[in-house]
Amino acid sequence: MRFGASAMLVESTIADCATRDSRGGGAFVEQANLTLQGGSRVERCLADYGGGLFAWEGDVALLEGSVLSECHANTRAGGLRARLVARVERA
């Protein structure tokens, strides 16, 4: 997701993903907003940076039991890599 986009995933699963770009195996968020809610899951994803999610200048919210699980990074941040992020919310 890029440049002003917003997405809300409800009762969703992103699983068994990897990236060739090196950032955000499950999702890459750049200048955008991503909300996972209703028990959404990002699991078993792989990247060099931010195995589950990579957020750059955006907002990420993990709500209502949403989980990052078993994600791995070759370099940094297995679950979530946040750079220049305005807000990361967990409720």
Side-chain angles (χ1 to χ4, degrees):
M1 293 179 23
R2 295 182 128 174
F3 310 119
S6 292
M8 180 179 296
L9 301 178
V10 180
E11 298 178 7
S12 301
T13 300
I14 299 172
D16 303 310
C17 301
T19 180
R20 295 180 205 175
D21 184 336
S22 80
R23 301 175 291 176
F28 176 78
V29 178
E30 180 178 14
Q31 296 177 3
N33 304 305
L34 175 63
T35 300
L36 301 175
Q37 70 179 43
S40 291
R41 303 181 63 81
V42 178
E43 56 192 19
R44 298 181 309 276
C45 295
L46 173 67
D48 289 335
Y49 300 92
L53 300 173
F54 186 102
W56 181 273
E57 294 183 3
D59 291 335
V60 174
L62 302 173
L63 308 174
E64 300 171 3
S66 294
V67 175
L68 301 177
S69 173
E70 300 178 59
C71 295
H72 300 279
N74 294 324
T75 305
R76 287 195 179 134
L80 170 66
R81 173 81 165 151
R83 300 275 320 240
L84 303 174
V85 170
R87 181 181 68 163
V88 174
E89 181 179 338
R90 173 81 170 131

Coordinates of all heavy atoms in Angstrom, one line a residue:
M1 N 0.8 -1.2 0.0 CA 0.0 0.0 0.0 C 0.9 1.2 0.0 O 1.9 1.3 0.7 CB -0.9 0.0 1.3 CG -1.8 -1.1 1.3 SD -2.8 -1.0 2.9 CE -2.7 0.7 3.4
R2 N 0.5 2.2 -0.8 CA 1.3 3.4 -0.9 C 0.5 4.7 -1.0 O -0.6 4.7 -1.5 CB 2.2 3.3 -2.1 CG 3.2 2.2 -2.0 CD 4.1 2.1 -3.1 NE 5.5 2.1 -2.7 CZ 6.5 1.9 -3.4 NH1 6.4 1.8 -4.7 NH2 7.7 1.9 -2.9
F3 N 1.1 5.8 -0.6 CA 0.8 7.1 -0.9 C -0.7 7.5 -0.7 O -1.5 7.6 -1.6 CB 1.2 7.5 -2.3 CG 2.6 7.2 -2.6 CD1 3.0 6.3 -3.6 CD2 3.7 7.7 -1.8 CE1 4.3 5.9 -3.8 CE2 5.0 7.4 -2.0 CZ 5.3 6.5 -3.0
G4 N -1.1 7.5 0.6 CA -2.4 8.0 1.0 C -3.5 6.9 1.0 O -4.6 7.1 1.4
A5 N -3.2 5.7 0.7 CA -4.1 4.6 0.7 C -4.5 4.2 2.1 O -3.7 4.4 3.0 CB -3.6 3.4 -0.1
S6 N -5.6 3.6 2.3 CA -6.0 3.1 3.6 C -6.7 1.7 3.4 O -7.4 1.5 2.4 CB -7.0 4.0 4.3 OG -6.4 5.2 4.7
A7 N -6.4 0.8 4.3 CA -7.0 -0.5 4.2 C -7.3 -1.0 5.6 O -6.6 -0.8 6.6 CB -6.1 -1.5 3.5
M8 N -8.5 -1.7 5.7 CA -8.9 -2.3 7.0 C -9.1 -3.8 6.7 O -10.0 -4.1 5.8 CB -10.1 -1.7 7.5 CG -10.6 -2.3 8.8 SD -12.0 -1.5 9.5 CE -11.4 0.1 9.8
L9 N -8.4 -4.7 7.3 CA -8.6 -6.1 7.2 C -9.3 -6.6 8.4 O -8.9 -6.4 9.6 CB -7.3 -6.8 7.1 CG -6.4 -6.4 5.9 CD1 -5.1 -7.2 5.9 CD2 -7.1 -6.6 4.6
V10 N -10.5 -7.2 8.2 CA -11.3 -7.7 9.3 C -11.4 -9.2 9.2 O -11.8 -9.8 8.1 CB -12.7 -7.1 9.3 CG1 -13.6 -7.6 10.4 CG2 -12.6 -5.6 9.3
E11 N -11.1 -10.0 10.3 CA -11.2 -11.4 10.3 C -10.4 -12.0 9.1 O -10.9 -12.9 8.4 CB -12.6 -11.9 10.3 CG -13.3 -11.5 11.6 CD -14.8 -11.9 11.6 OE1 -15.2 -12.7 10.7 OE2 -15.5 -11.5 12.5
S12 N -9.2 -11.5 8.8 CA -8.5 -11.9 7.7 C -7.1 -12.5 8.1 O -6.7 -12.3 9.2 CB -8.2 -10.7 6.8 OG -9.4 -10.1 6.4
T13 N -6.5 -13.3 7.2 CA -5.2 -13.9 7.4 C -4.3 -13.6 6.2 O -4.7 -13.9 5.1 CB -5.3 -15.4 7.7 OG1 -6.2 -15.6 8.8 CG2 -4.0 -16.0 7.9
I14 N -3.1 -13.1 6.5 CA -2.0 -13.1 5.5 C -1.0 -14.1 6.0 O -0.5 -13.9 7.1 CB -1.4 -11.7 5.5 CG1 -2.5 -10.6 5.1 CG2 -0.2 -11.6 4.6 CD1 -2.0 -9.2 5.2
A15 N -0.8 -15.1 5.2 CA 0.1 -16.2 5.7 C 1.0 -16.7 4.7 O 0.7 -16.7 3.5 CB -0.8 -17.3 6.3
D16 N 2.2 -17.3 5.1 CA 3.1 -18.0 4.3 C 3.6 -17.1 3.1 O 3.7 -17.5 2.0 CB 2.6 -19.3 3.8 CG 2.1 -20.2 5.0 OD1 2.9 -20.4 5.9 OD2 1.0 -20.6 4.9
C17 N 4.0 -15.8 3.5 CA 4.4 -14.9 2.4 C 5.9 -14.6 2.6 O 6.4 -14.7 3.7 CB 3.6 -13.6 2.6 SG 1.8 -13.8 2.5
A18 N 6.5 -14.2 1.5 CA 7.8 -13.7 1.5 C 7.9 -12.6 0.4 O 7.1 -12.5 -0.5 CB 8.8 -14.8 1.2
T19 N 8.9 -11.7 0.5 CA 9.1 -10.7 -0.5 C 10.4 -10.7 -1.2 O 11.4 -11.1 -0.6 CB 8.9 -9.3 0.2 OG1 9.0 -8.3 -0.8 CG2 9.9 -9.0 1.2
R20 N 10.5 -10.3 -2.4 CA 11.7 -10.2 -3.2 C 12.3 -8.8 -3.0 O 13.4 -8.5 -3.3 CB 11.5 -10.4 -4.6 CG 11.1 -11.8 -4.9 CD 10.8 -12.0 -6.4 NE 9.9 -13.1 -6.6 CZ 9.4 -13.5 -7.7 NH1 9.8 -12.9 -8.8 NH2 8.6 -14.5 -7.8
D21 N 11.4 -7.8 -2.5 CA 11.8 -6.4 -2.4 C 12.6 -6.2 -1.1 O 13.2 -5.2 -0.9 CB 10.5 -5.6 -2.3 CG 10.8 -4.1 -2.2 OD1 11.8 -3.7 -1.8 OD2 9.9 -3.4 -2.6
S22 N 12.6 -7.1 -0.2 CA 13.3 -7.1 1.1 C 12.6 -6.5 2.2 O 13.0 -6.5 3.4 CB 14.7 -6.5 1.0 OG 14.7 -5.1 1.0
R23 N 11.4 -5.8 2.0 CA 10.7 -5.1 3.1 C 9.2 -5.6 3.1 O 8.5 -5.6 2.1 CB 10.7 -3.6 2.8 CG 12.1 -3.1 2.8 CD 12.1 -1.6 2.5 NE 11.7 -1.4 1.1 CZ 11.6 -0.3 0.5 NH1 11.8 0.8 1.2 NH2 11.2 -0.2 -0.8
G24 N 8.8 -6.0 4.3 CA 7.4 -6.3 4.5 C 7.0 -7.6 3.9 O 6.3 -7.6 2.8
G25 N 7.3 -8.8 4.5 CA 6.9 -10.0 3.9 C 5.4 -10.2 3.8 O 4.9 -10.7 2.8
G26 N 4.6 -9.7 4.8 CA 3.2 -9.8 4.8 C 2.5 -8.6 4.2 O 1.6 -8.7 3.4
A27 N 3.0 -7.4 4.5 CA 2.5 -6.2 4.0 C 3.5 -5.1 4.1 O 4.3 -5.0 5.0 CB 1.2 -5.7 4.7
F28 N 3.6 -4.2 3.0 CA 4.4 -3.1 3.0 C 3.5 -1.8 3.0 O 2.7 -1.7 2.1 CB 5.3 -3.1 1.8 CG 6.2 -1.9 1.6 CD1 7.3 -1.7 2.3 CD2 5.8 -0.9 0.7 CE1 8.1 -0.6 2.2 CE2 6.6 0.2 0.5 CZ 7.8 0.4 1.3
V29 N 3.7 -0.9 3.9 CA 2.9 0.3 4.1 C 3.8 1.5 4.0 O 4.6 1.7 4.8 CB 2.1 0.2 5.4 CG1 1.3 1.5 5.6 CG2 1.3 -1.0 5.6
E30 N 3.6 2.3 2.9 CA 4.4 3.5 2.7 C 3.4 4.7 2.6 O 2.6 4.7 1.6 CB 5.3 3.4 1.5 CG 6.1 4.6 1.3 CD 7.1 4.5 0.1 OE1 6.9 3.6 -0.7 OE2 7.9 5.3 0.0
Q31 N 3.5 5.6 3.5 CA 2.7 6.8 3.5 C 1.2 6.4 3.4 O 0.5 7.0 2.5 CB 3.1 7.8 2.4 CG 4.5 8.3 2.6 CD 4.9 9.3 1.5 OE1 4.2 9.6 0.6 NE2 6.2 9.7 1.6
A32 N 0.8 5.4 4.1 CA -0.6 4.9 4.1 C -1.0 4.4 5.4 O -0.2 4.5 6.4 CB -0.6 3.7 3.1
N33 N -2.2 3.9 5.6 CA -2.7 3.4 6.9 C -3.2 2.0 6.7 O -4.0 1.7 5.8 CB -3.8 4.4 7.3 CG -3.4 5.8 7.4 OD1 -2.4 6.1 8.0 ND2 -4.1 6.7 6.7
L34 N -2.9 1.2 7.7 CA -3.3 -0.2 7.7 C -3.9 -0.5 9.1 O -3.2 -0.3 10.1 CB -2.2 -1.2 7.4 CG -2.5 -2.7 7.5 CD1 -3.5 -3.1 6.4 CD2 -1.2 -3.5 7.3
T35 N -5.1 -1.1 9.1 CA -5.7 -1.5 10.3 C -6.1 -3.0 10.2 O -6.7 -3.4 9.2 CB -7.0 -0.7 10.6 OG1 -6.7 0.6 10.7 CG2 -7.7 -1.2 11.9
L36 N -5.6 -3.8 11.2 CA -6.0 -5.2 11.3 C -6.9 -5.3 12.5 O -6.6 -4.8 13.6 CB -4.8 -6.1 11.5 CG -3.7 -6.0 10.4 CD1 -2.5 -6.9 10.9 CD2 -4.2 -6.5 9.1
Q37 N -8.1 -5.9 12.3 CA -9.0 -6.0 13.4 C -9.8 -7.3 13.4 O -9.8 -8.0 12.4 CB -9.9 -4.8 13.6 CG -10.9 -4.6 12.5 CD -11.8 -3.4 12.8 OE1 -11.3 -2.3 13.1 NE2 -13.1 -3.5 12.6
G38 N -10.5 -7.6 14.4 CA -11.4 -8.7 14.5 C -10.6 -10.0 14.5 O -11.1 -11.0 13.9
G39 N -9.4 -10.1 15.1 CA -8.7 -11.3 15.1 C -7.9 -11.5 13.9 O -7.4 -12.7 13.6
S40 N -7.7 -10.5 13.0 CA -6.8 -10.7 11.8 C -5.4 -11.2 12.2 O -4.9 -10.9 13.3 CB -6.8 -9.4 11.0 OG -8.0 -9.1 10.5
R41 N -4.8 -11.9 11.3 CA -3.5 -12.5 11.6 C -2.5 -12.3 10.4 O -2.9 -12.4 9.3 CB -3.6 -14.0 11.8 CG -4.6 -14.4 13.0 CD -4.6 -15.9 13.2 NE -3.3 -16.4 13.6 CZ -2.9 -16.4 14.8 NH1 -3.6 -15.8 15.8 NH2 -1.7 -16.9 15.1
V42 N -1.3 -12.0 10.8 CA -0.2 -12.0 9.8 C 0.8 -13.1 10.4 O 1.3 -12.9 11.5 CB 0.5 -10.7 9.6 CG1 1.7 -10.8 8.7 CG2 -0.5 -9.6 9.2
E43 N 1.0 -14.2 9.6 CA 1.7 -15.3 10.2 C 2.6 -16.0 9.2 O 2.3 -16.0 8.0 CB 0.8 -16.3 10.9 CG -0.3 -16.8 10.0 CD -1.3 -17.6 10.8 OE1 -1.5 -17.5 12.0 OE2 -2.0 -18.4 10.1
R44 N 3.8 -16.4 9.7 CA 4.7 -17.2 8.9 C 5.2 -16.4 7.6 O 5.2 -17.0 6.5 CB 4.2 -18.6 8.5 CG 3.9 -19.5 9.7 CD 3.4 -20.8 9.4 NE 2.3 -20.8 8.5 CZ 1.0 -20.7 8.8 NH1 0.7 -20.5 10.1 NH2 0.0 -20.7 7.9
C45 N 5.5 -15.2 7.8 CA 6.0 -14.3 6.7 C 7.4 -14.0 6.8 O 7.9 -14.0 8.0 CB 5.1 -13.1 6.6 SG 3.4 -13.4 6.1
L46 N 8.1 -13.7 5.7 CA 9.6 -13.5 5.8 C 10.0 -12.4 4.9 O 9.4 -12.2 3.8 CB 10.2 -14.8 5.2 CG 11.7 -14.8 5.0 CD1 12.5 -14.6 6.3 CD2 12.2 -16.0 4.2
A47 N 10.9 -11.6 5.4 CA 11.5 -10.5 4.6 C 12.9 -10.2 5.2 O 13.2 -10.7 6.3 CB 10.7 -9.2 4.6
D48 N 13.7 -9.3 4.6 CA 14.9 -8.9 5.2 C 14.6 -8.0 6.3 O 15.2 -8.0 7.4 CB 15.8 -8.2 4.2 CG 16.4 -9.2 3.2 OD1 16.5 -10.4 3.5 OD2 16.7 -8.7 2.0
Y49 N 13.7 -7.0 6.2 CA 13.3 -6.1 7.2 C 11.7 -6.2 7.4 O 11.0 -6.1 6.4 CB 13.6 -4.6 6.8 CG 15.1 -4.4 6.5 CD1 15.6 -4.6 5.3 CD2 15.9 -4.0 7.6 CE1 17.0 -4.4 5.1 CE2 17.2 -3.8 7.4 CZ 17.8 -4.0 6.1 OH 19.1 -3.8 6.0
G50 N 11.3 -6.3 8.6 CA 9.8 -6.4 8.8 C 9.2 -7.6 8.2 O 8.5 -7.6 7.3
G51 N 9.5 -8.8 8.8 CA 9.0 -10.0 8.3 C 7.5 -10.1 8.1 O 7.0 -10.5 7.1
G52 N 6.8 -9.6 9.1 CA 5.3 -9.5 9.0 C 4.8 -8.3 8.3 O 4.1 -8.3 7.3
L53 N 5.2 -7.1 8.9 CA 4.8 -5.8 8.3 C 6.0 -4.8 8.3 O 6.8 -4.8 9.2 CB 3.7 -5.2 9.2 CG 2.4 -6.0 9.3 CD1 1.5 -5.3 10.4 CD2 1.7 -6.1 8.0
F54 N 6.0 -4.0 7.3 CA 7.0 -2.9 7.2 C 6.2 -1.7 7.0 O 5.4 -1.6 6.0 CB 8.0 -3.1 6.0 CG 9.1 -2.1 6.0 CD1 10.3 -2.4 6.5 CD2 8.9 -0.8 5.5 CE1 11.4 -1.5 6.5 CE2 9.9 0.1 5.5 CZ 11.1 -0.2 6.0
A55 N 6.3 -0.7 7.9 CA 5.6 0.6 7.8 C 6.6 1.7 7.7 O 7.5 1.8 8.5 CB 4.7 0.8 9.0
W56 N 6.4 2.5 6.7 CA 7.3 3.7 6.4 C 6.4 4.9 6.3 O 5.6 5.0 5.4 CB 8.1 3.5 5.1 CG 9.0 4.6 4.8 CD1 8.7 5.7 4.1 CD2 10.4 4.7 5.2 NE1 9.8 6.5 4.0 CE2 10.9 5.9 4.6 CE3 11.2 3.9 5.9 CZ2 12.2 6.3 4.8 CZ3 12.6 4.3 6.0 CH2 13.0 5.5 5.5
E57 N 6.5 5.8 7.2 CA 5.7 7.1 7.2 C 4.2 6.7 7.1 O 3.5 7.3 6.2 CB 6.1 8.0 6.1 CG 7.5 8.5 6.3 CD 7.9 9.5 5.2 OE1 7.0 9.8 4.3 OE2 9.0 10.0 5.2
G58 N 3.7 5.8 7.9 CA 2.3 5.5 7.9 C 1.8 5.1 9.3 O 2.5 5.2 10.2
D59 N 0.5 4.7 9.4 CA 0.0 4.3 10.6 C -0.4 2.8 10.5 O -0.9 2.4 9.5 CB -1.3 5.1 11.0 CG -1.0 6.6 11.3 OD1 0.1 6.9 11.7 OD2 -1.9 7.4 11.1
V60 N -0.2 2.1 11.6 CA -0.6 0.7 11.7 C -1.3 0.5 13.0 O -0.9 0.9 14.1 CB 0.7 -0.2 11.7 CG1 0.3 -1.7 11.9 CG2 1.4 -0.1 10.4
A61 N -2.5 -0.1 12.9 CA -3.3 -0.4 14.1 C -3.6 -1.9 14.1 O -4.1 -2.5 13.2 CB -4.6 0.4 14.1
L62 N -3.3 -2.6 15.3 CA -3.6 -4.0 15.5 C -4.7 -4.0 16.6 O -4.4 -3.7 17.7 CB -2.4 -4.8 15.9 CG -1.2 -4.7 15.0 CD1 0.0 -5.4 15.6 CD2 -1.6 -5.4 13.7
L63 N -5.9 -4.2 16.2 CA -7.1 -4.1 17.1 C -7.8 -5.4 17.3 O -7.7 -6.3 16.5 CB -8.0 -3.1 16.6 CG -7.5 -1.7 16.2 CD1 -8.5 -0.8 15.5 CD2 -6.9 -1.0 17.4
E64 N -8.5 -5.5 18.5 CA -9.4 -6.6 18.7 C -8.8 -8.0 18.5 O -9.3 -8.8 17.8 CB -10.7 -6.5 17.9 CG -11.4 -5.2 18.1 CD -12.6 -5.0 17.1 OE1 -12.8 -5.9 16.2 OE2 -13.2 -3.9 17.2
G65 N -7.7 -8.2 19.2 CA -7.0 -9.5 19.1 C -6.3 -9.9 17.9 O -5.9 -11.0 17.6
S66 N -5.9 -8.9 17.1 CA -5.1 -9.2 15.9 C -3.7 -9.5 16.3 O -3.2 -9.0 17.3 CB -5.2 -8.0 14.9 OG -6.5 -7.8 14.4
V67 N -3.0 -10.3 15.5 CA -1.8 -10.9 15.9 C -0.8 -11.0 14.7 O -1.1 -11.3 13.6 CB -2.0 -12.4 16.4 CG1 -0.7 -13.0 16.7 CG2 -2.9 -12.4 17.6
L68 N 0.5 -10.7 15.1 CA 1.6 -11.0 14.2 C 2.3 -12.2 14.8 O 2.7 -12.2 16.0 CB 2.6 -9.9 14.1 CG 2.1 -8.5 13.6 CD1 3.2 -7.5 13.7 CD2 1.6 -8.6 12.2
S69 N 2.4 -13.3 14.0 CA 2.9 -14.6 14.6 C 3.9 -15.3 13.7 O 3.6 -15.4 12.5 CB 1.7 -15.5 14.9 OG 2.1 -16.7 15.3
E70 N 4.9 -15.8 14.3 CA 5.9 -16.6 13.6 C 6.5 -16.0 12.3 O 6.8 -16.7 11.3 CB 5.3 -18.0 13.2 CG 4.9 -18.8 14.4 CD 4.2 -20.1 14.0 OE1 4.9 -20.9 13.4 OE2 3.1 -20.3 14.4
C71 N 6.6 -14.7 12.3 CA 7.2 -13.9 11.2 C 8.7 -13.8 11.5 O 9.1 -13.6 12.6 CB 6.5 -12.6 11.0 SG 4.8 -12.8 10.5
H72 N 9.5 -13.7 10.4 CA 10.9 -13.7 10.6 C 11.5 -12.7 9.6 O 11.0 -12.5 8.5 CB 11.6 -15.1 10.4 CG 11.0 -16.1 11.3 ND1 11.5 -16.2 12.6 CD2 10.1 -17.0 11.1 CE1 10.9 -17.2 13.2 NE2 10.0 -17.7 12.3
A73 N 12.6 -12.1 10.1 CA 13.4 -11.1 9.2 C 14.8 -11.6 9.2 O 15.4 -12.0 10.2 CB 13.3 -9.7 9.8
N74 N 15.4 -11.5 8.0 CA 16.8 -11.9 7.9 C 17.8 -10.9 8.5 O 18.9 -11.2 8.9 CB 17.2 -12.1 6.4 CG 16.4 -13.2 5.8 OD1 16.2 -14.3 6.4 ND2 16.0 -13.1 4.5
T75 N 17.3 -9.6 8.6 CA 18.2 -8.6 9.1 C 17.6 -7.9 10.4 O 18.2 -8.0 11.4 CB 18.4 -7.5 8.0 OG1 18.9 -8.1 6.8 CG2 19.4 -6.4 8.5
R76 N 16.4 -7.3 10.3 CA 15.8 -6.7 11.4 C 14.3 -6.8 11.5 O 13.6 -6.8 10.4 CB 16.1 -5.2 11.4 CG 17.5 -4.8 11.7 CD 17.6 -3.3 12.0 NE 19.0 -3.0 12.3 CZ 19.6 -2.0 11.8 NH1 19.1 -1.2 11.0 NH2 20.9 -1.8 12.2
A77 N 13.8 -6.9 12.7 CA 12.3 -6.8 13.0 C 11.5 -7.9 12.4 O 10.9 -7.7 11.3 CB 11.8 -5.4 12.5
G78 N 11.5 -9.0 13.0 CA 10.7 -10.2 12.5 C 9.2 -9.9 12.4 O 8.6 -10.3 11.4
G79 N 8.6 -9.2 13.4 CA 7.2 -9.0 13.3 C 6.8 -7.7 12.6 O 6.1 -7.7 11.6
L80 N 7.3 -6.6 13.1 CA 6.9 -5.3 12.6 C 8.1 -4.3 12.5 O 8.8 -4.2 13.6 CB 5.8 -4.6 13.4 CG 5.5 -3.2 13.2 CD1 4.9 -3.0 11.8 CD2 4.6 -2.7 14.3
R81 N 8.4 -3.8 11.4 CA 9.5 -2.7 11.3 C 8.8 -1.4 11.0 O 8.0 -1.3 10.0 CB 10.4 -3.1 10.1 CG 11.4 -2.1 9.8 CD 12.6 -2.1 10.8 NE 13.7 -1.3 10.2 CZ 14.6 -0.7 10.9 NH1 14.5 -0.8 12.2 NH2 15.5 -0.1 10.4
A82 N 8.9 -0.5 11.9 CA 8.3 0.8 11.8 C 9.3 1.9 11.6 O 10.2 2.1 12.5 CB 7.4 1.1 13.0
R83 N 9.3 2.7 10.5 CA 10.3 3.8 10.3 C 9.5 5.0 10.0 O 8.7 5.1 9.2 CB 11.2 3.4 9.1 CG 12.0 2.2 9.2 CD 13.3 2.4 9.9 NE 14.0 3.6 9.5 CZ 15.1 3.7 9.0 NH1 15.8 2.7 8.6 NH2 15.6 4.9 8.7
L84 N 9.9 6.1 10.7 CA 9.2 7.4 10.6 C 7.7 7.3 10.6 O 7.0 7.9 9.8 CB 9.7 8.0 9.2 CG 11.2 8.2 9.1 CD1 11.5 8.7 7.7 CD2 11.8 9.2 10.1
V85 N 7.2 6.4 11.5 CA 5.8 6.2 11.6 C 5.2 7.1 12.6 O 5.7 7.3 13.7 CB 5.6 4.7 12.1 CG1 4.1 4.4 12.4 CG2 6.0 3.8 10.9
A86 N 4.0 7.7 12.2 CA 3.3 8.6 13.1 C 2.7 7.8 14.3 O 2.7 8.3 15.4 CB 2.2 9.3 12.3
R87 N 2.2 6.6 14.0 CA 1.5 5.9 15.1 C 1.5 4.4 14.8 O 1.1 4.0 13.7 CB 0.1 6.4 15.2 CG -0.8 5.8 16.3 CD -2.1 6.4 16.2 NE -2.8 5.9 15.0 CZ -4.1 6.0 14.8 NH1 -4.9 6.5 15.7 NH2 -4.6 5.5 13.6
V88 N 1.8 3.7 15.9 CA 1.5 2.2 15.9 C 0.6 2.0 17.1 O 1.0 2.3 18.2 CB 2.8 1.4 16.0 CG1 2.5 -0.1 16.2 CG2 3.7 1.6 14.8
E89 N -0.5 1.5 16.9 CA -1.5 1.3 17.9 C -1.8 -0.2 18.1 O -2.0 -0.9 17.2 CB -2.8 2.0 17.5 CG -3.9 1.9 18.6 CD -5.1 2.7 18.1 OE1 -5.0 3.6 17.3 OE2 -6.2 2.4 18.7
R90 N -1.9 -0.6 19.4 CA -2.3 -1.9 19.8 C -3.3 -1.9 20.8 O -3.1 -1.3 21.9 CB -1.0 -2.7 20.3 CG -1.3 -4.0 20.8 CD -1.4 -5.0 19.7 NE -1.4 -6.4 20.3 CZ -2.3 -7.3 19.9 NH1 -3.2 -7.0 19.0 NH2 -2.2 -8.5 20.4
A91 N -4.5 -2.4 20.5 CA -5.6 -2.3 21.5 C -6.3 -3.7 21.5 O -6.3 -4.4 20.6 CB -6.6 -1.2 21.1

